[in-house]
Amino acid sequence: MIKLTKLIRRLRNNEKGATLMEFGLVVGPLMMILLGIMDLGYRGYLDTLSKSKLHEIAREATTGGLSVAQVTTAVEDGLEPLLVNGATVDVEVVSYFDFTNVGKPEKITIDNNSDGSLDSGDCYLDGNGNDTFDVDYGRSGTGGPDDIVNYTITVTSPRLFPLAKLIGGDPEIVVTNSTALRNQPFGAQNTIPEICEP
């Protein structure tokens, strides 16, 4: 009994290994915080570099020297070194006649009953030249001289670490950037035809 009491007293007073226990309690949350910071840092890095590459390629395309396929390839090649396996890059290029029409419907020029919608006998400016009234004025492609071109890039990438999935977050990072630039006047800008509904 005396030996057992001495053993318990000796174990109670022994502090060897206490630091290891404290470290064990702190290391888990510390690693979670560090991995989370690195994941957020990667997202910010991806956002900044994709925006920079998009602006660079868009400025080059304003001279009329690049097609949509060439713009897409240049953006993908520029971002390839920093993307993780399974990441995808989508590039959308839409041209407009001027800045006031970006993302807007085609303009109704004659509205006989003043209801704001296109009816029989009303006329509109066919900005994208498809002979149909559209809610988005844009036309796919890099456009012509003096046209406004809206470039949008969307990068979808798996996260570096699976922490977000553990806490119910999205397992992917989605970064979207866009810019609109006017093409150089390397020729005469196309005119917009007016079409009247029968």
Side-chain angles (χ1 to χ4, degrees), residues 122-139:
D122 292 347
C123 299
Y124 65 96
L125 295 176
D126 188 21
N128 55 14
N130 65 355
D131 296 334
T132 305
F133 182 77
D134 297 300
V135 292
D136 188 349
Y137 211 91
R139 126 186 14 197

Side-chain angles (χ1 to χ4, degrees), residues 15-25:
E15 294 185 6
K16 290 181 181 175
T19 306
L20 184 61
M21 287 297 293
E22 291 169 0
F23 179 73
L25 293 172

Side-chain angles (χ1 to χ4, degrees), residues 57 60-61 64-77 91 142:
I57 301 301
E60 187 178 334
L66 295 178
S67 66
V68 174
Q70 290 170 320
V71 168
T72 302
T73 301
V75 169
E76 288 172 349
D77 290 347
V91 179
T142 56

Side-chain angles (χ1 to χ4, degrees), residues 24-55:
L25 293 172
V26 172
V27 73
L30 178 65
M31 290 304 292
M32 294 274 287
I33 290 170
L34 288 176
L35 294 176
I37 288 171
M38 288 193 292
D39 198 49
L40 286 174
Y42 176 70
R43 187 196 185 291
Y45 181 66
L46 185 63
D47 182 48
T48 301
L49 256 56
S50 64
K51 190 180 302 183
S52 174
K53 185 52 73 175
L54 177 65
H55 285 293

Side-chain angles (χ1 to χ4, degrees), residues 131-175:
D131 296 334
T132 305
F133 182 77
D134 297 300
V135 292
D136 188 349
Y137 211 91
R139 126 186 14 197
S140 184
T142 56
D146 261 349
D147 284 349
I148 307 305
V149 185
N150 189 40
Y151 301 89
T152 304
I153 179 174
T154 303
V155 180
T156 306
S157 172
R159 292 188 181 272
L160 293 179
F161 308 105
L163 295 178
K165 202 187 300 183
L166 294 175
I167 59 173
D170 192 357
E172 293 183 326
I173 297 171
V174 179
V175 174

Side-chain angles (χ1 to χ4, degrees), residues 177-195:
N177 288 300
S178 65
T179 187
L181 297 173
R182 182 183 295 277
N183 282 341
Q184 299 295 319
F186 48 84
Q189 188 175 23
N190 297 330
T191 57
I192 300 177
E194 184 176 35
I195 295 178

